[in-house]
């Protein structure tokens, strides 16, 4: 059912936006980060109620939403949000989608992660096809400033923190052209897939750590269950 839902949603967006690439990516990126907001909200609620504490899950999901935020900023810098109809559509769908994700995550967290694994996998394939079909034209265009800044400058702690299959500082993109930008957005989506797979592991409640927390020098923060 989850697979059918994802396929249906993707079909509708791809059909409606078949000739408008950047608005399509803007809509997809607006909606695609909403599940991470939902996971964060539910995990905060569990902590507030004293049921469960897992700071690493909060850290990783926030870093994932931070990464998707920058995908969104890149699409906005390319004019994807220029038309109010696209903004209204993306925000309306995202608002409804948030509550669906909250409910799904509360009732069946592993299914919620599986759902996101499929969504992120679809994003990876969408960007791969886009790169193949527009390689020359993308290589002739400069990278947006926001992409250069996010991927290459300053504090890259958050950039490392959503990639749970890698060690900190393992991946350092070179961003010169628009092709490099989309290639790295695509690669980010693949890292999200890996993180969603890790979250579904039966052992994840005991073993899941953010890349920096997994370093030997990192302190133990708390048991999974609050005293
Ligand atoms: Fe994205
Ligand atoms: Fe994504």
């Amino acid at each position: 059912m989850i697979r059918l839902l994802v396929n249906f949603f993707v079909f509708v967006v791809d059909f409606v936006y078949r000739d408008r690439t950047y608005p399509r990516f803007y809509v997809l990126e607006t909606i695609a980060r909403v599940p991470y907001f939902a996971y964060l909200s539910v995990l905060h609620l569990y902590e507030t109620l004293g049921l469960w504490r897992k700071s690493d899950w909060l850290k990783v999901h926030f870093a994932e939403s931070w990464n998707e935020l920058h995908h969104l900023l890149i699409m906005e810098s390319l004019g994807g949000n220029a038309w109010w109809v696209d903004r209204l559509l993306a925000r309306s769908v995202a608002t409804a989608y948030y509550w669906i994700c909250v409910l799904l995550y509360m009732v069946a967290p592993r299914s919620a992660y599986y759902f996101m694994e499929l969504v992120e996998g679809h994003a990876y394939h969408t960007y791969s096809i886009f790169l193949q079909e527009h390689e020359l034209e993308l290589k002739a265009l400069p990278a947006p400033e926001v992409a250069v800044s996010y991927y290459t400058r300053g504090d890259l702690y958050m950039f490392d923190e959503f990639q749970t299959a890698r060690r900190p500082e393992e991946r350092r993109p070179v961003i010169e052209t628009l092709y490099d930008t989309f290639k790295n957005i695509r690669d980010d989506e693949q890292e999200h897939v890996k993180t969603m797979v890790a979250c579904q592991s039966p052992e994840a409640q005991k073993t899941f750590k953010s890349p920096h927390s997994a370093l030997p020098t990192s302190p133990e923060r708390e048991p999974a269950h609050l005293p």
Side-chain angles (χ1 to χ4, degrees), residues 56 59 156-161 166 168-169 172 209-218 221:
D56 272 48
K59 247 173 120 187
L156 291 166
Y157 182 96
M158 295 287 279
F159 177 66
D160 291 329
E161 203 64 340
R166 292 180 183 272
E169 300 180 25
R172 287 291 177 262
K209 283 187 184 294
S210 80
H212 286 95
S213 297
L215 293 174
T217 50
S218 178
R221 282 196 184 75

Side-chain angles (χ1 to χ4, degrees), residues 2 27 31 38 40 50 59 133 149 161 171 174 178 216 218 221:
I2 286 173
V27 170
I31 296 166
L40 286 167
K59 247 173 120 187
E133 290 179 348
S149 163
E161 203 64 340
R171 185 173 156 227
V174 174
L178 198 51
S218 178
R221 282 196 184 75

